[in-house]
Amino acid sequence: MTTPTIELKPSSNLVPAADRERILANPGFGRYFTDHMVTIRWTEGRGWHDAQLVPYAPLSLDPANMTLHYAQTIFEGLKAYRSADGSVSTFRPEANARRFQRSARRMAMPELPEELFIGACDALVKQDIDWVPGTGEESLYLRPFMFATEVGVGVHPANEFLFMVIASPAGAYFKGGVKPVSVWISEEYVRAAPGGTGEAKAGGNYASSLLAQAEATERGCDQVVWLDGIERKWVEEMGTNNLFFVYGDRIVTPAFSGSLLAGIVRDSLLTIASDLGYEVAEERISVEDWRRAAADGSLTEVFGCGTAAVITPVGRIRSKGGDWTVPATGEVTMRLRKALLDIQTGAAKDVHGWLHPVA
Ligand SMILES: *Cc1c(COP(=O)(O)O)cnc(C)c1O
């Protein structure tokens, strides 16, 4: 089966420039979408076909569409940044493409070839280039996703799927400076367990996390912290972010456990921190370790990381067993944040070849 090329069928009815500029002045996150989208179909026996860039528009779905019932759906998230010279690049799209293939395997879905994933993202960014905000922390967030399109309520892997990419301008996550968040450690609910789907970016993982996030909000916290599903002892993630613990010059992130999502920012920060001379490690960290190290002062900073918010410092921790704090000045946190953003926005040398030039 050959890889299809993406046929361009651009819109003749674009959002007027003045409206687009008004949106770009205050885009928030995930609220507005650009003029186009990419769609590629997969059918059993035929493979990938009908790759198209078309005007952004609603879909029409049969009520028995299998995704609506059994959630065979996965997604990715990556950003396109504009550099000071006006060029636009995405950050490590091949890492997203490969994770999308791993998610697909886990969810019994077909694997999209890496070049088609990147080609679809490139085509959309090129077409909607005017939607990439100006320089700085603002970006165009790309949301590739795939879902079952077979009609029927029998339970089995679907025989047809639709892959799509949509794009949404994203403002600087923290307007008026980075603020530390408070977290609630969830002991009642778990996000994922070894053998489950926690390593996949699968829609169902997010549906099942919302109640715990609501509980965190009820407890007056911004985010939920997930523990391992077996002992409810080992720290895994924060909301949809990976976590880092800073002990002076030593930086530690929870080791893969079979239920952690392998974040691309997590991976990038391990490299950047090591480049900057920090000692880095992937280890198990218990809630008790966290509380003890915060109390004796050896733990100096904690932060979450992910594509959407980049890096978020954690200042206050609440749990059934008590509350504690971590110093919120975050010198290392802010240094890593700047180092990463400088690479993403072209302000620093891209020594690892992470930028993928698009236009
Ligand atoms: C997407 C995601 C992350 C962060 O991944 P990045 O590739 O760094 O954006 C972390 N945890 C969960 C549960 C996620 O869904």
Side-chain angles (χ1 to χ4, degrees), residues 75-78 96 99 141 191 198 200-202 205-206 226 237-242 259-267 305-308 310:
F75 69 94
E76 269 303 327
L78 67 160
N96 295 90
R99 185 169 66 189
Y141 180 80
R191 192 190 80 89
K201 266 184 121 66
N205 292 345
Y206 302 83
W226 304 107
E237 302 198 49
M238 173 180 84
T240 59
N241 276 218
N242 293 114
S259 47
L260 278 195
L261 197 286
I264 293 159
V265 178
R266 174 189 184 277
D267 183 73
C305 69
T307 296
V310 190

Side-chain angles (χ1 to χ4, degrees), residues 75 103 128 142:
F75 69 94
S103 295
D128 287 339
L142 304 178

Side-chain angles (χ1 to χ4, degrees), residues 2 9 40 50 82 90 97 108 114 140 167 169 195 242 273 280 292 327:
T2 54
K9 298 178 170 175
I40 310 177
D50 280 357
R82 195 183 286 279
T90 50
E114 190 175 316
L140 184 64
N242 293 114
V280 297
R292 199 178 330 109

Side-chain angles (χ1 to χ4, degrees), residues 185-187 189-194 225-237 257 259-260 284-287:
I185 298 186
S186 175
E187 289 168 57
Y189 303 110
V190 293
R191 192 190 80 89
V225 163
W226 304 107
L227 303 181
D228 77 283
I230 298 170
E231 295 179 76
R232 313 259 171 122
K233 172 178 175 184
W234 306 102
V235 176
E236 298 228 307
E237 302 198 49
S257 60
S259 47
L260 278 195
R284 294 213 293 184
I285 298 163
S286 71
V287 176

Side-chain angles (χ1 to χ4, degrees), residues 7 38 72 77 95 150 174 219 223 243 252-253 277-278 290 352:
E7 193 187 341
V38 173
Q72 211 182 2
E150 187 182 340
F174 294 98
R219 300 280 178 166
Q223 291 281 341
L243 277 170
V252 184
T253 191
Y278 294 102
W290 185 352
H352 299 288

Side-chain angles (χ1 to χ4, degrees), residues 7 35 42 58 81 157 182 197 199 215-216 232-233 257 272 282 292 315-316 324 327 336 357:
E7 193 187 341
D35 289 305
W42 183 91
Y81 286 94
S182 55
T197 57
E199 291 181 331
E215 189 185 63
R232 313 259 171 122
K233 172 178 175 184
S257 60
I272 290 172
E282 297 168 77
R292 199 178 330 109
R316 205 159 54 78
W324 67 94
L336 290 172

